[in-house]
Amino acid sequence: MVLRNGESSYSLQAVPVGDGPSWRANDLFGRVICAVMLGMLMLAGAGVGSVQAEDLEHPSDLLRVTNYPGGLAIAELSRWREATPEIKDIKIPSSADDSEQAALFYDSGSDKEKPLLMVLHSWSTDYLQNIDIPLGQFAIANDWVFIHPNFRGQNDGRPESTASDLAISDMQDALEYAREQAEIDESRIYLLGYSGGAMNALHLASRNPDVFAGVAAWVPVYDLVTWHQWNKARGEKYAGEIEQACGGEPTQGSSAFDECRKRSPSRYVPEVAGDIRVLIAHGIDDTTVPPEQALHAFNDLANEQDRIPQEQIDQLMETRQVPDALRQRSAKGNDAFPQFAEADADVLLYLKSGPTELVLFEGEHDMLYRPGLEWLSRQQR
């Protein structure tokens, strides 16, 4: 931090106090400056901090994605153009091959530095996924920059999809495009994903621990090997799509197993534990992506003493209720996230460990629009 007195009417003098400097101001204004400086230094030392909640606008009346008209996977450009004509359909040259990757992008063009909201589509659709329209509307209403990239489209079994190196590169390209094209407040770059989008959000965050002020991961796929096992036991299509993308059934010792591990956030996230601020939210009755995926993600990000014992995870999965011993650790709950109750999705468990927060709520495979956006808006690097 550089202080320039110039023509100001106050002066600051460093004097030793303990192991570090303090500042002596010659008037009341100087003392106010000292207080501001102290707060900034504390924030800088923390790496990622909180800012006072803004008076945000939520122009959409929809509260959860499962109530979006047409279903979760519907992807029609016409709906975006009708609801958000300000958002542009663009092409971004790929830095990994000769292709151009589609994205939706919004920037008001205002001169002020603005937060950036990057949203990643879920598993079975692409960048036109309509359930994310309310997120675009939110960005427009609050003058945030918005980008919604394609990163090789839906995870339909093509090797270039499903968190491939190409897909990760495309997400990185979209992030850099937004930062270059708009006036971005670099301390307020946010990432949000739902389901397969949450999987990729954790991937991208693990590769950019110094960029994102906050990451909201809703019902995340965290480990492709165990999620494959879950889907194969239930005869779900996702098991076959994983096998096609990874080159076979991911049995222990196989090349497909290694490929699935490579494409799983669980391989990379532990390396950035404590360095990224993440909100993990999961419906306790989710049968598409079981909540144990979120619990293991929390464990990999949490301090050792805050992790959830495996026997409690097993008990939760068997009963779909929070074990008493785990419930006793829960803090705040609905008081910290009033928008959950607003959407009839009461908070059942709230845990915090360092910069990682976990919310288990009454619900299934769902994302609630407002609490994630409100939480992101309070985060600042």
Side-chain angles (χ1 to χ4, degrees), residues 153-166:
Q154 68 184 87
N155 298 337
D156 54 6
R158 290 170 297 119
E160 63 267 29
S161 69
T162 319
S164 69
D165 289 341
L166 286 173

Side-chain angles (χ1 to χ4, degrees), residues 193-264:
Y194 160 71
S195 190
M199 175 185 77
N200 285 297
L202 293 173
H203 266 296
L204 191 59
S206 71
R207 288 154 172 82
N208 296 272
D210 298 328
V211 171
F212 294 105
V215 182
W218 290 86
V219 294
V221 176
Y222 186 61
D223 185 86
L224 285 172
V225 173
T226 56
W227 195 51
H228 171 271
Q229 295 168 350
W230 172 267
N231 284 291
K232 184 177 181 181
R234 287 158 181 75
E236 296 289 344
K237 66 164 186 165
Y238 305 111
E241 291 171 347
I242 293 170
E243 292 176 13
Q244 292 176 48
C246 294
E249 184 174 355
T251 55
Q252 185 73 40
S254 67
S255 60
F257 179 93
D258 293 340
E259 186 66 19
C260 276
R261 289 286 296 140
K262 177 184 175 183
R263 294 172 183 239
S264 297

Side-chain angles (χ1 to χ4, degrees), residues 98-170:
D98 295 329
S99 69
E100 287 189 326
Q101 291 299 306
L104 296 173
F105 179 67
Y106 170 75
D107 172 30
S108 69
S110 65
D111 292 335
K112 72 173 185 177
E113 292 186 342
K114 301 170 284 292
L116 167 61
L117 177 62
M118 185 172 187
V119 178
L120 303 178
H121 65 77
S122 64
W123 187 276
S124 298
T125 186
D126 60 21
Y127 79 111
L128 296 176
Q129 184 170 32
N130 291 161
I131 62 169
D132 291 336
I133 288 175
L135 303 174
Q137 292 174 318
F138 170 89
I140 294 169
N142 294 283
D143 197 13
W144 288 21
V145 178
F146 174 80
I147 193 155
H148 194 268
N150 196 46
F151 55 98
R152 308 291 156 155
Q154 68 184 87
N155 298 337
D156 54 6
R158 290 170 297 119
E160 63 267 29
S161 69
T162 319
S164 69
D165 289 341
L166 286 173
I168 300 295
S169 177
D170 290 346

Side-chain angles (χ1 to χ4, degrees), residues 47-48 179 186-187 189 204-213 272 275-276 381:
V48 179
R179 296 171 76 183
E186 292 287 328
S187 72
I189 297 179
L204 191 59
S206 71
R207 288 154 172 82
N208 296 272
D210 298 328
V211 171
F212 294 105
V272 293
D275 295 332
I276 55 176
R381 289 206 64 83

